[in-house]
Coordinates of all heavy atoms in Angstrom, one line a residue:
M1 N 81.6 129.2 63.9 CA 83.1 129.4 63.8 C 83.5 129.0 62.4 O 82.9 128.0 61.9 CB 83.8 128.7 64.8 CG 85.3 128.9 64.8 SD 86.2 128.4 66.2 CE 86.3 129.9 67.1
S2 N 84.4 129.6 61.8 CA 84.8 129.3 60.4 C 85.8 128.1 60.4 O 86.3 127.7 61.4 CB 85.5 130.5 59.8 OG 86.7 130.8 60.5
R3 N 85.9 127.5 59.2 CA 86.8 126.4 59.1 C 88.2 126.8 59.3 O 88.6 127.9 58.9 CB 86.6 125.8 57.7 CG 85.3 125.2 57.5 CD 85.1 124.7 56.1 NE 86.2 123.9 55.7 CZ 86.2 122.6 55.4 NH1 85.0 122.0 55.4 NH2 87.2 121.9 55.1
P4 N 89.1 125.9 59.8 CA 90.5 126.3 60.0 C 91.2 126.4 58.6 O 90.8 125.7 57.7 CB 91.1 125.1 60.8 CG 90.0 124.2 61.2 CD 88.8 124.6 60.4
T5 N 92.2 127.3 58.5 CA 92.9 127.4 57.3 C 93.9 126.3 57.1 O 94.2 125.6 58.1 CB 93.7 128.8 57.3 OG1 94.7 128.7 58.3 CG2 92.7 130.0 57.5
T6 N 94.4 126.2 55.9 CA 95.4 125.2 55.7 C 96.7 125.4 56.6 O 97.2 124.4 57.1 CB 95.8 125.2 54.2 OG1 94.7 125.0 53.4 CG2 96.8 124.1 53.9
R7 N 97.0 126.6 56.8 CA 98.2 126.9 57.6 C 98.0 126.5 59.0 O 98.8 125.9 59.7 CB 98.5 128.4 57.5 CG 99.7 128.8 58.4 CD 100.1 130.3 58.1 NE 101.3 130.6 58.8 CZ 101.3 131.4 59.9 NH1 100.3 131.9 60.3 NH2 102.5 131.6 60.4
Q8 N 96.7 126.7 59.5 CA 96.4 126.3 60.9 C 96.4 124.8 61.0 O 96.9 124.2 62.0 CB 95.1 126.8 61.3 CG 95.1 128.3 61.5 CD 93.7 128.9 61.7 OE1 92.7 128.3 61.4 NE2 93.6 130.1 62.3
L9 N 95.9 124.1 60.0 CA 95.9 122.6 60.1 C 97.4 122.1 60.0 O 97.7 121.1 60.6 CB 95.1 122.0 59.0 CG 93.6 122.3 59.1 CD1 92.8 121.8 57.9 CD2 93.0 121.7 60.4
L10 N 98.2 122.7 59.2 CA 99.6 122.3 59.2 C 100.3 122.5 60.5 O 101.0 121.7 61.0 CB 100.4 123.1 58.1 CG 101.8 122.8 57.9 CD1 102.1 121.4 57.5 CD2 102.5 123.8 56.9
L11 N 99.9 123.6 61.2 CA 100.5 123.9 62.5 C 100.0 122.8 63.5 O 100.8 122.4 64.3 CB 100.0 125.3 63.0 CG 100.5 125.8 64.3 CD1 102.0 125.9 64.3 CD2 99.9 127.1 64.6
L12 N 98.8 122.4 63.3 CA 98.3 121.3 64.2 C 99.1 120.0 64.0 O 99.5 119.3 64.9 CB 96.8 121.0 63.9 CG 96.2 119.7 64.5 CD1 96.2 119.8 66.0 CD2 94.8 119.5 64.0
G13 N 99.3 119.7 62.7 CA 100.1 118.5 62.4 C 101.5 118.5 63.0 O 102.1 117.6 63.6
V14 N 102.2 119.7 62.8 CA 103.5 119.9 63.3 C 103.6 119.8 64.8 O 104.4 119.2 65.4 CB 104.2 121.2 62.8 CG1 105.4 121.5 63.5 CG2 104.4 121.1 61.3
A15 N 102.6 120.5 65.5 CA 102.5 120.5 66.9 C 102.3 119.1 67.5 O 103.0 118.6 68.4 CB 101.4 121.4 67.4
Q16 N 101.4 118.3 66.9 CA 101.2 116.9 67.3 C 102.4 116.1 67.1 O 102.8 115.3 67.9 CB 100.0 116.3 66.6 CG 98.7 116.8 67.1 CD 97.5 116.1 66.5 OE1 97.4 116.1 65.3 NE2 96.7 115.5 67.4
A17 N 103.1 116.2 66.0 CA 104.3 115.4 65.7 C 105.4 115.7 66.7 O 106.0 114.8 67.2 CB 104.8 115.7 64.3
V18 N 105.7 117.0 66.9 CA 106.7 117.4 67.8 C 106.4 116.9 69.3 O 107.3 116.3 69.9 CB 107.0 118.9 67.8 CG1 107.9 119.4 68.9 CG2 107.6 119.3 66.5
L19 N 105.2 117.1 69.7 CA 104.9 116.7 71.1 C 104.8 115.2 71.2 O 105.0 114.6 72.3 CB 103.6 117.4 71.5 CG 103.7 118.9 71.8 CD1 102.4 119.5 72.0 CD2 104.7 119.2 72.9
F20 N 104.4 114.5 70.1 CA 104.4 113.0 70.1 C 105.9 112.5 70.4 O 106.1 111.7 71.3 CB 103.9 112.5 68.8 CG 104.0 111.0 68.7 CD1 103.1 110.2 69.2 CD2 105.1 110.4 68.1 CE1 103.2 108.8 69.2 CE2 105.3 109.0 68.0 CZ 104.3 108.2 68.5
V21 N 106.8 113.1 69.7 CA 108.2 112.6 69.8 C 108.7 113.0 71.2 O 109.4 112.2 71.9 CB 109.1 113.2 68.7 CG1 110.6 113.0 69.0 CG2 108.7 112.7 67.4
A22 N 108.4 114.2 71.7 CA 108.8 114.6 73.0 C 108.2 113.8 74.1 O 108.9 113.3 75.1 CB 108.4 116.1 73.3
G23 N 106.9 113.4 74.0 CA 106.3 112.5 74.9 C 106.9 111.1 74.9 O 107.0 110.5 76.0
A24 N 107.2 110.6 73.7 CA 107.7 109.3 73.6 C 109.1 109.3 74.3 O 109.5 108.3 74.9 CB 107.8 108.8 72.2
L25 N 109.9 110.3 74.0 CA 111.2 110.4 74.7 C 111.1 110.5 76.2 O 111.9 109.8 76.9 CB 112.0 111.6 74.1 CG 112.6 111.4 72.7 CD1 113.2 112.7 72.2 CD2 113.6 110.3 72.7
L26 N 110.2 111.2 76.6 CA 109.9 111.3 78.1 C 109.6 110.0 78.7 O 110.1 109.6 79.7 CB 108.9 112.4 78.4 CG 108.6 112.6 79.9 CD1 109.8 113.2 80.6 CD2 107.4 113.6 80.0
G27 N 108.7 109.2 78.0 CA 108.3 107.9 78.4 C 109.5 107.0 78.4 O 109.7 106.2 79.3
R28 N 110.4 107.1 77.4 CA 111.6 106.2 77.3 C 112.5 106.6 78.5 O 113.0 105.7 79.2 CB 112.3 106.5 76.0 CG 113.7 106.0 75.9 CD 113.7 104.5 75.5 NE 115.1 104.2 75.1 CZ 115.7 103.1 75.6 NH1 115.0 102.3 76.4 NH2 116.9 102.8 75.3
W29 N 112.7 107.8 78.8 CA 113.6 108.2 79.9 C 113.0 107.8 81.2 O 113.8 107.4 82.1 CB 113.9 109.7 79.9 CG 114.7 110.1 78.7 CD1 115.6 109.4 78.0 CD2 114.6 111.4 78.0 NE1 116.1 110.1 77.0 CE2 115.6 111.4 76.9 CE3 113.9 112.6 78.2 CZ2 115.8 112.4 76.1 CZ3 114.1 113.6 77.3 CH2 115.0 113.6 76.3
L30 N 111.7 107.9 81.4 CA 111.1 107.5 82.6 C 111.3 106.0 82.8 O 111.5 105.5 83.9 CB 109.6 107.8 82.7 CG 109.3 109.2 83.1 CD1 107.8 109.5 83.0 CD2 109.7 109.5 84.5
G31 N 111.1 105.2 81.7 CA 111.3 103.8 81.8 C 112.7 103.4 82.2 O 112.9 102.6 83.0
L32 N 113.7 104.1 81.6 CA 115.1 103.9 81.9 C 115.4 104.2 83.4 O 116.1 103.6 84.1 CB 116.0 104.6 81.0 CG 116.1 104.1 79.6 CD1 117.0 105.0 78.7 CD2 116.6 102.7 79.5
L33 N 114.7 105.3 83.9 CA 114.9 105.7 85.2 C 114.4 104.6 86.2 O 115.0 104.4 87.3 CB 114.1 107.0 85.5 CG 114.3 107.6 86.9 CD1 115.7 108.2 87.1 CD2 113.3 108.8 87.0
F34 N 113.4 103.9 85.8 CA 112.8 102.9 86.7 C 113.3 101.5 86.3 O 112.9 100.5 86.8 CB 111.3 102.9 86.6 CG 110.6 104.1 87.2 CD1 109.8 104.9 86.4 CD2 110.9 104.5 88.5 CE1 109.2 106.0 87.0 CE2 110.3 105.6 89.1 CZ 109.5 106.4 88.3
G35 N 114.3 101.4 85.4 CA 114.9 100.2 85.0 C 114.1 99.3 84.1 O 114.2 98.1 84.0
L36 N 113.2 100.0 83.3 CA 112.3 99.3 82.4 C 112.8 99.6 80.9 O 112.3 100.6 80.3 CB 110.9 99.8 82.6 CG 110.3 99.6 84.0 CD1 109.0 100.4 84.1 CD2 110.2 98.2 84.3
D37 N 113.7 98.8 80.4 CA 114.3 99.1 79.1 C 113.5 98.5 78.0 O 113.4 97.3 77.9 CB 115.8 98.5 79.1 CG 116.5 98.9 77.9 OD1 116.0 99.8 77.1 OD2 117.7 98.5 77.7
A38 N 112.9 99.3 77.2 CA 112.0 98.8 76.2 C 112.8 98.1 75.1 O 112.2 97.3 74.4 CB 111.3 100.0 75.5
F39 N 114.1 98.4 74.9 CA 114.9 97.8 73.9 C 115.8 96.8 74.5 O 116.9 96.5 73.8 CB 115.6 98.9 73.1 CG 114.7 99.9 72.5 CD1 114.7 101.2 72.9 CD2 113.8 99.5 71.5 CE1 113.8 102.1 72.4 CE2 113.0 100.4 70.9 CZ 113.0 101.7 71.3
G40 N 115.5 96.3 75.7 CA 116.4 95.3 76.3 C 116.2 93.9 75.6 O 115.4 93.8 74.6
A41 N 117.0 93.0 76.0 CA 117.0 91.7 75.3 C 115.7 91.0 75.7 O 115.3 90.9 76.8 CB 118.2 90.8 75.8
G42 N 115.0 90.4 74.7 CA 113.8 89.7 74.9 C 112.6 90.5 75.1 O 112.6 91.8 75.1
Y43 N 111.5 89.9 75.4 CA 110.2 90.6 75.7 C 109.7 90.2 77.1 O 108.7 89.6 77.2 CB 109.2 90.3 74.6 CG 109.4 91.0 73.3 CD1 109.8 90.4 72.2 CD2 109.1 92.4 73.3 CE1 110.1 91.1 71.0 CE2 109.3 93.1 72.1 CZ 109.8 92.5 71.0 OH 110.0 93.2 69.9
G44 N 110.5 90.5 78.1 CA 110.0 90.2 79.4 C 109.1 91.3 79.9 O 108.7 92.3 79.2
N45 N 108.6 91.2 81.1 CA 107.7 92.2 81.7 C 108.3 93.6 81.7 O 107.6 94.5 81.4 CB 107.3 91.8 83.1 CG 106.4 90.5 83.1 OD1 105.7 90.3 82.0 ND2 106.3 89.8 84.2
S46 N 109.5 93.7 82.0 CA 110.1 95.1 82.1 C 110.2 95.7 80.7 O 110.0 96.9 80.5 CB 111.5 95.0 82.7 OG 112.4 94.3 81.9
S47 N 110.4 94.9 79.7 CA 110.5 95.4 78.3 C 109.1 95.9 77.8 O 108.9 96.9 77.2 CB 111.0 94.4 77.3 OG 112.3 94.2 77.5
I48 N 108.1 95.1 78.2 CA 106.7 95.4 77.8 C 106.2 96.7 78.5 O 105.6 97.5 77.8 CB 105.7 94.2 78.1 CG1 106.1 93.0 77.4 CG2 104.3 94.6 77.9 CD1 106.0 93.1 75.9
V49 N 106.5 96.8 79.7 CA 106.1 98.0 80.5 C 106.9 99.2 79.9 O 106.3 100.3 79.8 CB 106.3 97.9 82.0 CG1 106.1 99.2 82.7 CG2 105.4 96.8 82.5
G50 N 108.2 99.1 79.5 CA 108.9 100.1 78.9 C 108.3 100.6 77.6 O 108.2 101.8 77.3
I51 N 107.9 99.6 76.8 CA 107.2 99.9 75.5 C 105.9 100.6 75.8 O 105.5 101.6 75.1 CB 107.0 98.6 74.7 CG1 108.3 98.0 74.2 CG2 106.0 98.9 73.5 CD1 108.2 96.6 73.7
L52 N 105.2 100.2 76.8 CA 103.9 100.8 77.2 C 104.1 102.3 77.6 O 103.4 103.2 77.2 CB 103.3 100.1 78.3 CG 101.9 100.6 78.8 CD1 100.9 100.4 77.7 CD2 101.5 99.9 80.0
L53 N 105.2 102.6 78.3 CA 105.5 103.9 78.7 C 105.8 104.8 77.5 O 105.4 106.0 77.5 CB 106.7 104.0 79.7 CG 106.3 103.6 81.1 CD1 107.6 103.5 81.9 CD2 105.4 104.5 81.8
I54 N 106.5 104.3 76.5 CA 106.8 105.1 75.3 C 105.5 105.4 74.6 O 105.3 106.5 74.1 CB 107.8 104.3 74.4 CG1 109.2 104.2 75.1 CG2 107.9 105.0 73.1 CD1 110.2 103.3 74.4
G55 N 104.7 104.4 74.4 CA 103.4 104.6 73.7 C 102.5 105.6 74.5 O 101.9 106.4 73.8
L56 N 102.4 105.5 75.8 CA 101.6 106.4 76.5 C 102.1 107.8 76.5 O 101.3 108.8 76.3 CB 101.5 105.9 78.0 CG 100.6 104.7 78.3 CD1 100.7 104.3 79.7 CD2 99.2 105.0 77.9
G57 N 103.4 108.0 76.5 CA 104.0 109.3 76.4 C 103.8 109.9 75.1 O 103.4 111.1 75.0
G58 N 104.0 109.1 74.0 CA 103.7 109.6 72.7 C 102.3 110.0 72.5 O 102.0 111.1 71.9
G59 N 101.3 109.2 72.9 CA 99.9 109.5 72.8 C 99.5 110.7 73.6 O 98.7 111.5 73.1
A60 N 100.1 110.8 74.8 CA 99.7 112.0 75.6 C 100.3 113.3 75.0 O 99.6 114.3 75.0 CB 100.3 111.8 77.0
G61 N 101.5 113.2 74.4 CA 102.0 114.4 73.7 C 101.2 114.8 72.5 O 100.9 116.0 72.3
A62 N 100.7 113.8 71.7 CA 99.8 114.1 70.6 C 98.5 114.8 71.0 O 98.0 115.7 70.4 CB 99.6 112.9 69.7
Q63 N 98.0 114.2 72.1 CA 96.7 114.8 72.6 C 96.9 116.2 73.2 O 96.1 117.1 73.0 CB 96.1 113.9 73.7 CG 95.6 112.6 73.2 CD 94.5 112.9 72.2 OE1 93.6 113.7 72.4 NE2 94.6 112.2 71.0
L64 N 98.1 116.4 73.8 CA 98.4 117.8 74.3 C 98.5 118.8 73.1 O 98.0 119.9 73.2 CB 99.8 117.7 75.0 CG 99.9 118.8 76.1 CD1 99.4 118.2 77.4 CD2 101.4 119.1 76.2
G65 N 99.0 118.4 72.0 CA 99.1 119.2 70.8 C 97.7 119.5 70.3 O 97.4 120.7 69.9
R66 N 96.8 118.5 70.3 CA 95.4 118.8 69.8 C 94.7 119.7 70.8 O 93.9 120.6 70.4 CB 94.7 117.4 69.7 CG 93.3 117.6 69.1 CD 92.6 116.3 69.0 NE 92.6 115.6 67.7 CZ 92.2 116.1 66.5 NH1 91.9 117.4 66.4 NH2 92.2 115.4 65.5
M67 N 94.9 119.5 72.1 CA 94.2 120.4 73.1 C 94.7 121.8 72.9 O 93.9 122.7 73.0 CB 94.5 119.9 74.5 CG 93.7 118.6 74.8 SD 93.8 118.1 76.6 CE 95.3 118.7 77.2
W68 N 96.0 122.0 72.7 CA 96.5 123.3 72.5 C 95.8 124.0 71.3 O 95.4 125.1 71.3 CB 98.0 123.3 72.3 CG 98.6 124.6 71.8 CD1 98.8 125.7 72.5 CD2 98.9 124.9 70.5 NE1 99.3 126.7 71.7 CE2 99.4 126.2 70.4 CE3 98.8 124.2 69.3 CZ2 99.8 126.8 69.3 CZ3 99.2 124.8 68.1 CH2 99.7 126.1 68.1
F69 N 95.8 123.2 70.2 CA 95.2 123.8 68.9 C 93.7 124.1 69.1 O 93.3 125.2 68.7 CB 95.3 122.7 67.8 CG 94.8 123.2 66.5 CD1 95.6 124.0 65.6 CD2 93.5 122.9 66.1 CE1 95.0 124.4 64.4 CE2 92.9 123.4 64.9 CZ 93.7 124.2 64.1
T70 N 93.0 123.2 69.8 CA 91.6 123.5 70.0 C 91.3 124.7 70.9 O 90.4 125.5 70.6 CB 90.9 122.2 70.7 OG1 91.1 121.1 69.8 CG2 89.4 122.4 70.8
R71 N 92.2 124.9 71.9 CA 92.0 126.0 72.7 C 92.3 127.3 72.0 O 91.7 128.4 72.2 CB 93.0 125.9 73.9 CG 92.8 127.0 75.0 CD 93.5 126.7 76.2 NE 92.8 125.6 76.9 CZ 93.3 124.8 77.8 NH1 94.5 125.1 78.2 NH2 92.7 123.8 78.3
K72 N 93.3 127.3 71.1 CA 93.8 128.5 70.4 C 92.9 128.8 69.2 O 92.5 130.0 68.9 CB 95.2 128.3 70.0 CG 95.8 129.6 69.3 CD 97.3 129.5 69.2 CE 97.8 130.7 68.5 NZ 98.8 131.4 69.2
Y73 N 92.5 127.8 68.4 CA 91.9 128.0 67.1 C 90.4 127.4 67.0 O 89.8 127.6 66.0 CB 92.7 127.4 65.9 CG 94.0 128.1 65.8 CD1 95.2 127.4 66.1 CD2 94.1 129.4 65.3 CE1 96.4 128.0 65.9 CE2 95.4 130.0 65.1 CZ 96.5 129.3 65.5 OH 97.7 129.8 65.3
G74 N 90.0 126.6 68.0 CA 88.8 125.9 67.9 C 89.0 124.5 67.3 O 90.1 124.1 67.0
S75 N 87.9 123.8 67.2 CA 87.9 122.4 66.7 C 88.4 122.4 65.3 O 87.9 123.1 64.4 CB 86.6 121.8 66.8 OG 86.6 120.5 66.3
P76 N 89.3 121.5 64.9 CA 89.8 121.4 63.6 C 88.7 120.7 62.7 O 88.9 120.7 61.5 CB 91.0 120.5 63.7 CG 90.9 119.8 64.9 CD 90.1 120.6 65.8
R77 N 87.7 120.1 63.3 CA 86.7 119.4 62.5 C 85.5 120.3 62.0 O 84.6 119.9 61.4 CB 86.1 118.3 63.3 CG 87.1 117.2 63.6 CD 86.5 116.1 64.3 NE 87.4 115.1 64.7 CZ 87.6 114.0 64.0 NH1 86.9 113.7 63.0 NH2 88.5 113.1 64.4
S78 N 85.5 121.6 62.4 CA 84.4 122.5 62.1 C 84.5 122.9 60.7 O 85.4 122.9 59.9 CB 84.4 123.7 63.0 OG 85.6 124.3 63.1

């Protein structure tokens, strides 16, 4: 398989960025739904779990963008 074009790699970056933000927002909203405010006062257990949900959501979104790109265009490392 041929190497990805610059346009395709830019599309990968944009897709990962957009889905990272969407995943982080989803994690934030889920945290708020369960009463886990990441930006609450102090660093109690509920704040830490809220931060974890935001990080997991953002990471999952970025991975989703990479999986989409790989399925459509092949590996970006080729």
Side-chain angles (χ1 to χ4, degrees):
M1 183 167 263
S2 64
R3 294 176 49 115
T5 65
T6 304
R7 181 171 185 252
Q8 289 172 341
L9 291 175
L10 179 64
L11 184 62
L12 170 62
V14 169
Q16 283 186 306
V18 168
L19 289 173
F20 173 84
V21 171
L25 285 174
L26 182 63
R28 168 85 170 127
W29 293 331
L30 278 175
L32 289 176
L33 182 69
F34 294 123
L36 306 168
D37 189 6
F39 301 112
Y43 283 107
N45 288 338
S46 64
S47 293
I48 298 296
V49 174
I51 293 168
L52 182 68
L53 283 174
I54 292 172
L56 287 173
Q63 288 302 312
L64 209 89
R66 188 181 259 307
M67 286 186 335
W68 167 81
F69 181 86
T70 302
R71 186 168 293 161
K72 186 168 176 124
Y73 297 109
S75 175
R77 296 183 184 260
S78 49

